[in-house]
Every structure is written in structure tokens, then in C-alpha cells.
Amino acid sequence: VAADVSKPAEPKGRDRRLEAEEEKPLLNAANHSQNIWLAPLVEIAIETAMRRGELLNIEWSDVDLDRRTIHLENTKNGSPRTVPLSTRALEILNMIPRDISGRVFPVSAVALRGLWRRACKRANIDNLHFHDLRHEATSRFFEKGLNVMEVAAITGHKDLRMLQRYTHLRAEDLAKKLG
């Protein structure tokens, strides 16, 4: 009987963050990569919470440095969104060379996989996926005091339950907020 069949449990989802002591070695390893795009790509990922595919598909025509935004037409959830750029993200974008292809990061997903693996190995970092940078960035938005709707607008999350994974709210911090 169908009533006896239970729905499989939702997978827990990774909650791996970039540890404070891992960030410098990772960026250092990325900066020492033969690929000049890896370090800025990693930093933009941490600054914007954009997905790997979104980052690899950005074209300079999607970037508005004056408005401090990147417009993403094709996203995982099918809805276009415009991502705001932090001061640091703007600095990075202003520093990187322009490729003839028009893409901001002219790197393939396959190439990035190898570059990422080698950078993590050089930095002595275990079990860090590129997607974990999205988690890190999203958590940092909450730590900066952005509310759920603001973070969802940046990250493109439609399901606010997905965002709960990133909040990691501590009771003592909430007590301070209550006064």
C-alpha cells in the first residue's frame, strides 16, 4: 500500500566552510597557479556567492562596473538575477586582464576542477569543494548583518529553507541583539 511507503529523507547538504586559517594558504596557492584566472575566480566566488557555472559564464557585457553589478541571465533555478559587487569584488574585476573571448574567466569547468584540486593540495586543504566557497560567501553575508531576503536576492535562493543552512545562528548572538 502506498501509505506504507515513506519519502526518502532530504540529504543533509554540506556545511563545510573555508576555515579562517585556510583562506590565506588557498589564495596564496591560487596566486601561484600557472593559470592567471584562478585567484581572481576564487576571490570573486567568496565575494559574490555565485555558482561555478555562473562564474565561468560571465561575459564582460554582463558586468556593470559603474553600478557595481553582474547580471546573470542563465542561473540554476532559471530566474535571471543581478548580483551586487562588494568593493573588493570591484577591485578584483578592475585588475584582471580582458580576454579576447569576452568572458571574464575564460576557464573551462574541467580545467577549473584540476586547478582547484592542485591549489587545495598546495595549500594542504582537505575536503574543500569549489561550491563550499558559495556556502562561505553566503554565511559571510549573514555575518555582515544582511537579512534573509537580502541574501536570497544576492544568492538566487528561491527556497528560504535552503538559506537556513547558512545562518548558523548562535543563541548568545541573538541574546545580544535582543538587548
Side-chain angles (χ1 to χ4, degrees):
V1 184
D4 296 335
V5 177
S6 60
K7 224 169 103 183
E10 285 283 318
K12 190 182 174 299
R14 283 175 65 88
D15 60 4
R16 171 78 156 89
R17 288 189 63 178
L18 181 63
E19 301 293 331
E21 67 276 2
E22 292 175 331
E23 188 167 355
K24 222 182 206 140
L26 177 64
L27 293 175
N28 193 29
N31 274 307
H32 286 86
S33 169
Q34 324 111 313
N35 189 302
I36 62 166
W37 311 106
L38 182 60
L41 182 61
V42 168
E43 281 202 79
I44 292 291
I46 294 170
E47 289 293 318
T48 64
M50 289 168 60
R51 295 175 181 95
R52 181 190 66 201
E54 293 168 346
L55 289 160
L56 296 180
N57 287 321
I58 313 167
E59 299 200 357
W60 282 108
S61 58
D62 303 322
V63 179
D64 188 331
L65 295 173
D66 295 330
R67 286 201 172 122
R68 297 175 54 158
T69 60
I70 295 176
H71 182 71
L72 302 176
E73 195 55 44
N74 299 312
T75 65
K76 181 182 171 190
N77 67 23
S79 297
R81 76 176 188 281
T82 301
V83 178
L85 297 171
S86 66
T87 303
R88 178 67 189 138
L90 212 53
E91 287 170 1
I92 296 160
L93 289 172
N94 277 313
M95 287 181 341
I96 61 176
R98 304 267 174 136
D99 187 72
I100 194 165
S101 68
R103 289 177 38 227
V104 176
F105 301 108
V107 177
S108 72
V110 172
L112 178 57
R113 217 180 332 266
L115 293 166
W116 177 255
R117 193 177 54 249
R118 288 189 293 279
C120 286
K121 189 175 180 154
R122 274 195 304 276
N124 260 329
I125 297 173
D126 289 323
N127 192 29
L128 185 70
H129 301 179
F130 190 86
H131 192 77
D132 295 332
L133 301 181
R134 178 167 162 81
H135 188 103
E136 179 61 28
T138 305
S139 297
R140 288 181 185 190
F141 293 148
F142 283 113
E143 288 165 0
K144 285 179 179 173
L146 275 67
N147 69 42
V148 173
M149 296 312 288
E150 290 168 329
V151 174
I154 297 170
T155 63
H157 283 97
K158 284 184 174 175
D159 184 352
L160 298 185
R161 287 174 308 183
M162 287 299 290
L163 270 180
Q164 282 179 327
R165 294 200 346 232
Y166 300 99
T167 56
H168 307 296
L169 298 175
R170 295 198 312 249
E172 54 269 32
D173 294 339
L174 293 173
K176 283 181 203 151
K177 267 188 144 174
L178 291 172

